[in-house]
Amino acid sequence: MADVMDVDNSNLRGMKRKADEISLVLQPPKRIKALDQNVVNKIAAGEIIVAPMHALKELIENAVDAGSTSLEIVVKDGGLKLLQITDNGHGIHKDDLPILCERFTTSKLKSFEDLTTIGTYGFRGEALASISHIAHVKITTKTIDSSCAWQAHYADGKLVPAKPGQSADPKPTAGRGGTQITVEDLFYSMPTRRRAFRAPGEEYAKILDVVGRYSVHCAGVAFSCKKYGDSAMGISVASNASTMDRIRQIHGSTVANELIQFSVSDDTWGFEALGWASNANYHVKKTTILLFINHRAVESMAIKKALEQTYSVFLPKGGHPFIYLSIDIDPHRVDVNVHPTKREVNFLNEDEIIESICSNIRVQLSKVDTSRTFKTQSLLPGVKIPTISSSSPIDSSRRPTSTRTPESTLIRTDSKLRKITSMLPPTLTPSNTISSTPTPDLHYTHSARIPVHCRLTTVKDLRATVRANMHASLTEIFASHTYVGLVDTNRRIVAIQGGVKLFLVDYGMVSNEYFYQIGLTDFGNFGSIVFKNPLSVRELIAVGVKIERQNEQSSSSSGGQEDVNWDEIPDLVTRQIVSRREMLLEYFSLEVSEQGHLMGVPLLIKGYTPSLAKLPRFLMRLGPCVDWADEKSCFHTFLRELASFYTPEQLPLTPPSAAVEGEDGGDEVMVHGGGGGGDANEERDATKAAAKTEIKQRREQLERMLEHVLFPAFRARLVATKGLLKGVVEVANLKGLYKVFERC
């Protein structure tokens, strides 16, 4: 028998180990070490310069910041082999050349606070540094006061000699005023990234797209771009060309002939927008948007989606527009430092600004939509016009086929057409009385309060919780629904149409969630409903306590001892609110004076006024129902109480009667004495009539606000959460109804 082979079991891999052996092979944790600076710089460069087009974008922005009026661009092999840009700007001082390609060296920013007023394209000082770590960079520059140009070579952010053995210092050379930056062998130090690029022609097309965008936007600047060695220009725009001429030269006369100009501004949101958009006669298969925010080329899915929805009414199915849009926003409202390539920016009041722009474009399109252009083909002279004779049979094989939309998928898409309420008798049609309902005596004014950007972690966590709990299908239904009508004000039910389905919706539940989300979205930026005559907080709370006490006594079946000292509640809650009046004013616009007078309450949405009859209960619940000890819980519970206050109230079907009915439901039992019964009856009838009139007016006002304020707001901003599934019931499906009718 052969000897047993000796096996080294000290380091077995891929084999199961027993539990008592695991402790023998555990290794100590690896120590954390700082990365080498060269590795850090290359990682950062890979984030900022993703493709040749990003490198060119940074160089174009630097050239425009330098006051250039002419840019010449030369590209070889899609920018991977050569990327050269020459401008006639003010140049770079010789003494700045040694640190030119180091990270975070810039002439546009001195302190972090300068970011709030930044007006240039660049500000971080990372573009040239990033390019120098992944390519060979040569810079030739000449200032107006220099007798000659200076040339320098860079690698890894440092000056390097042009040839081995020479000095790395900048060399004097002949050159014209301005700067020429030559980038060669892009991504030579990142072979994996370089191999990932496809044909050079695709990268060159992306470069032309970047140059074309800035050519349209940068008025007074000449652009030219061509391939290395070619005499023909890919793009050539003169400095004195207008915006329309620039669009014509880059995107063609087809789109330029169908453009309409628009402009909109609003001092409330601190923005001004202008641009050119295609009319209803032009449409392509893909949306083209040239978007600039504070002269920075960016992308915004929210703006793109809103514009496409605006055009969906005017263009045929599958058609998309061309839009050039330049938005100037107060720099204090914009955060530009949110993306490595500066492709995205954040700004305050995004929804309001987008809605203002879309509304203006919608108006401009409506003006020109009365004239449509269609292409026709003229008949040659002498050709007989074909006619169809009624006596001649038509060959069925030559009959043109047409695709007909199934009737089971046809829906009403225009809410202004005939509604279901028009089929009701005139005495039951709510629309007959809505127009005569007086509007509340409200006057809106703009306050001087500056909008703030909420940076509280607790508020961001609450917002994230809402997004995580979103129900996608339900959100889509609300985003594209058509309001049908009010069904029941007592149960707070309305009917809406979503696609080919009809839903009954608990608008009380949906309104509560919507106003809670408004509280999170506009946190710290609420408007204010100011009372002409301040109200006593304690008296309001006392009214709320009285109502709550009566409700609890009526709902309690046992006549036991009360556990709550109701008389102390008004004073306790009043002290609680007055002691936190500064926080309530800053975060929620709930203004309370030091003497305990209510000056104003938050305004969450314009055009809708909550029922002030709910104000006493709202103030009373701020004491026991708000967790004032924890910040996150405080914000959550307060906004829930505020949303409950803003939620439309339940209206009775009939006004409450002052009489007491008998147990058998028969005649009313009147309690009176002496000869004063007639006066009591008259007073009771007057009270019933006043209550009936008030309820009728509130119902009409509520119906108007539901249709024209709340549900349009739900369509624009509501994130439907999973909890709202309990308040939405499908009652009809067009396809299902057709199946039923077919059986009949």
Side-chain angles (χ1 to χ4, degrees):
M1 184 175 180
D3 296 338
V4 179
M5 182 182 297
D6 293 334
V7 179
D8 184 10
N9 295 324
S10 60
N11 188 20
L12 295 178
R13 300 182 62 186
M15 298 179 63
K16 294 183 179 180
R17 299 190 297 270
K18 296 181 180 179
D20 54 354
E21 297 177 356
I22 296 178
S23 59
L24 301 178
V25 298
L26 288 178
Q27 300 294 331
K30 295 183 179 181
R31 300 296 300 274
I32 299 176
K33 298 180 181 179
L35 288 175
D36 183 78
Q37 192 61 34
N38 188 39
V39 177
V40 173
N41 292 333
K42 289 185 178 180
I43 293 175
E47 294 178 348
I48 297 172
I49 310 300
V50 182
M53 57 178 289
H54 296 104
L56 180 62
K57 174 180 176 294
E58 299 288 347
L59 297 178
I60 291 177
E61 292 178 349
N62 285 344
V64 176
D65 282 340
S68 305
T69 59
S70 176
L71 275 73
E72 301 173 6
I73 301 165
V74 179
V75 180
K76 184 178 181 180
D77 289 347
L80 295 173
K81 190 65 177 177
L82 173 67
L83 194 62
Q84 184 182 82
I85 179 170
T86 306
D87 65 65
N88 62 346
H90 53 60
I92 304 170
H93 199 278
K94 174 182 176 296
D95 296 337
D96 294 335
L97 291 176
I99 63 170
L100 177 63
C101 289
E102 292 184 5
R103 292 188 69 193
F104 308 118
T105 55
T106 179
S107 62
K108 305 159 188 173
L109 195 68
K110 293 183 180 179
S111 62
F112 182 78
E113 288 72 18
D114 293 343
L115 275 176
T116 59
T117 58
I118 196 71
T120 58
Y121 291 104
F123 54 87
R124 286 195 294 246
E126 287 189 289
L128 288 175
S130 300
I131 295 174
S132 69
H133 282 89
I134 56 177
H136 301 111
V137 179
K138 180 178 69 174
I139 297 179
T140 304
T141 182
K142 181 180 182 297
T143 59
I144 192 172
D145 57 350
S146 177
S147 59
C148 64
W150 296 90
Q151 189 176 90
H153 294 76
Y154 296 89
D156 296 332
K158 303 292 184 181
L159 282 171
V160 295
K163 296 180 179 180
Q166 295 182 355
S167 173
D169 295 335
K171 303 288 191 303
T173 185
R176 62 183 184 181
T179 303
Q180 182 184 76
I181 300 179
T182 304
V183 179
E184 297 179 302
D185 300 325
L186 193 61
F187 299 113
Y188 78 94
S189 59
M190 305 172 69
T192 304
R193 174 78 63 86
R194 189 181 179 97
R195 287 195 299 268
F197 293 108
R198 299 180 180 178
E202 294 186 11
E203 299 304 318
Y204 181 66
K206 296 177 181 178
I207 287 176
L208 289 180
D209 179 69
V210 172
V211 177
R213 289 174 181 268
Y214 282 94
S215 299
V216 171
H217 179 72
C218 297
V221 181
F223 284 84
S224 66
C225 180
K226 67 174 185 177
K227 291 183 178 180
Y228 179 80
D230 285 1
S231 57
M233 292 288 181
I235 287 180
S236 179
V237 178
S239 60
N240 58 352
S242 63
T243 302
M244 176 66 78
D245 294 335
R246 292 169 181 262
I247 296 176
R248 189 185 307 277
Q249 294 180 23
I250 296 171
H251 297 277
S253 299
T254 304
V255 60
N257 294 335
E258 305 293 346
L259 292 180
I260 56 175
Q261 189 174 13
F262 64 90
S263 63
V264 57
S265 61
D266 194 330
D267 295 335
T268 304
W269 313 122
F271 83 98
E272 180 180 359
L274 54 89
W276 295 80
S278 57
N279 58 26
N281 292 327
Y282 176 86
H283 59 89
V284 288
K285 295 182 179 180
K286 185 178 180 182
T287 302
T288 303
I289 297 182
L290 311 181
L291 176 60
F292 289 81
I293 298 180
N294 287 3
H295 305 286
R296 189 183 308 279
V298 296
E299 297 177 2
S300 173
M301 290 303 299
I303 294 178
K304 181 180 179 181
K305 183 178 179 181
L307 291 174
E308 288 180 340
Q309 290 180 349
T310 301
Y311 269 90
S312 62
V313 181
F314 301 91
L315 299 182
K317 184 178 180 181
H320 297 277
F322 170 91
I323 301 171
Y324 159 62
L325 174 61
S326 176
I327 308 176
D328 286 336
I329 306 177
D330 185 358
H332 292 88
R333 299 169 178 260
V334 183
D335 187 1
V336 297
N337 191 27
V338 297
H339 196 274
T341 63
K342 293 173 284 189
R343 188 180 62 186
E344 301 174 0
V345 297
N346 290 340
F347 53 93
L348 297 178
N349 307 112
E350 180 179 4
D351 294 337
E352 289 81 1
I353 292 176
I354 294 175
E355 179 59 29
S356 299
I357 295 172
C358 291
S359 298
N360 186 271
I361 294 178
R362 193 178 300 113
V363 171
Q364 298 296 329
L365 290 174
S366 301
K367 293 179 181 179
V368 300
D369 193 40
T370 56
S371 173
R372 300 294 297 272
T373 302
F374 300 94
K375 294 182 178 180
T376 60
Q377 185 176 4
S378 301
L379 293 175
L380 295 175
V383 177
K384 184 178 180 181
I385 300 177
T387 59
I388 299 178
S389 176
S390 57
S391 60
S392 60
I394 300 176
D395 187 2
S396 60
S397 62
R398 300 178 59 184
R399 182 178 299 168
T401 59
S402 61
T403 59
R404 182 182 178 184
T405 305
E407 294 181 351
S408 60
T409 60
L410 294 177
I411 59 174
R412 177 172 64 88
T413 58
D414 188 357
S415 60
K416 297 180 181 179
L417 297 178
R418 187 183 184 190
K419 300 180 181 179
I420 193 173
T421 53
S422 64
M423 305 177 188
L424 301 177
T427 56
L428 301 178
T429 304
S431 59
N432 293 337
T433 57
I434 290 178
S435 59
S436 61
T437 304
T439 57
D441 186 15
L442 296 177
H443 302 281
Y444 292 98
T445 59
H446 299 296
S447 66
R449 184 174 181 180
I450 301 176
V452 296
H453 182 62
C454 180
R455 301 181 182 274
L456 297 176
T457 306
T458 51
V459 177
K460 293 182 179 180
D461 291 343
L462 292 174
R463 293 173 181 172
T465 302
V466 173
R467 289 193 295 268
N469 202 28
M470 182 184 73
H471 192 280
S473 300
L474 194 57
T475 302
E476 182 63 27
I477 291 175
F478 278 104
S480 59
H481 81 273
T482 300
Y483 184 84
V484 176
L486 180 62
V487 177
D488 191 341
T489 55
N490 185 29
R491 298 181 180 179
R492 295 189 294 191
I493 297 176
V494 298
I496 66 172
Q497 176 182 327
V500 295
K501 298 180 181 180
L502 182 68
F503 299 92
L504 292 182
V505 177
D506 184 346
Y507 65 82
M509 180 184 298
V510 178
S511 299
N512 190 293
E513 180 62 28
Y514 171 75
F515 286 121
Y516 173 71
Q517 294 178 13
I518 288 293
L520 292 175
T521 305
D522 299 342
F523 188 88
N525 295 298
F526 300 123
S528 180
I529 301 176
V530 181
F531 300 113
K532 291 182 179 180
N533 299 318
L535 307 175
S536 172
V537 174
R538 191 194 180 285
E539 293 179 1
L540 290 173
I541 296 176
V543 174
V545 170
K546 182 180 178 180
I547 297 174
E548 191 74 17
R549 187 175 184 178
Q550 292 175 352
N551 294 338
E552 183 151 336
Q553 288 176 351
S554 61
S555 62
S556 177
S557 58
S558 61
Q561 189 74 17
E562 292 185 348
D563 297 333
V564 181
N565 189 349
W566 298 95
D567 297 333
E568 295 182 356
I569 293 179
D571 294 327
L572 292 175
V573 178
T574 301
R575 287 196 296 269
Q576 187 87 277
I577 294 176
V578 173
S579 63
R580 291 173 169 82
R581 64 184 184 279
E582 295 180 357
M583 184 268 286
L584 294 175
L585 177 61
E586 179 182 0
Y587 290 155
F588 307 109
S589 297
L590 183 64
E591 187 174 0
V592 179
S593 67
E594 190 174 357
Q595 292 76 24
H597 292 94
L598 182 63
M599 315 295 289
V601 294
L603 174 64
L604 298 187
I605 182 172
K606 189 176 179 181
Y608 172 77
T609 305
S611 175
L612 295 182
K614 300 171 65 177
L615 184 58
R617 188 171 186 270
F618 165 64
L619 294 175
M620 183 204 68
R621 289 178 60 86
L622 293 184
C625 298
V626 176
D627 185 2
W628 299 100
D630 180 69
E631 181 180 294
K632 183 176 180 179
S633 300
C634 174
F635 293 160
H636 172 71
T637 52
F638 185 93
L639 291 177
R640 281 298 180 188
E641 293 300 325
L642 182 61
S644 179
F645 168 60
Y646 258 83
T647 300
E649 70 279 15
Q650 292 177 287
L651 295 178
L653 297 177
T654 57
S657 176
V660 180
E661 296 183 356
E663 293 182 0
D664 58 351
D667 297 334
E668 297 177 351
V669 180
M670 301 302 302
V671 180
H672 58 83
D679 296 338
N681 289 338
E682 293 178 0
E683 183 178 354
R684 183 192 63 180
D685 293 340
T687 303
K688 291 173 60 177
K692 184 177 180 180
T693 303
E694 184 178 354
I695 292 175
K696 180 181 178 182
Q697 291 179 352
R698 179 58 181 173
R699 182 179 288 110
E700 294 171 354
Q701 179 186 5
L702 182 61
E703 183 173 356
R704 184 178 62 253
M705 288 190 283
L706 282 172
E707 181 175 0
H708 300 291
V709 179
L710 289 184
F711 273 83
F714 297 164
R715 187 186 301 113
R717 299 184 64 175
L718 177 66
V719 177
T721 56
K722 298 175 182 177
L724 296 182
L725 290 173
K726 298 182 294 184
V728 180
V729 178
E730 179 184 335
V731 294
N733 187 325
L734 191 59
K735 295 181 179 180
L737 292 176
Y738 263 86
K739 293 180 180 179
V740 174
F741 294 144
E742 287 172 357
R743 297 193 192 103
C744 299

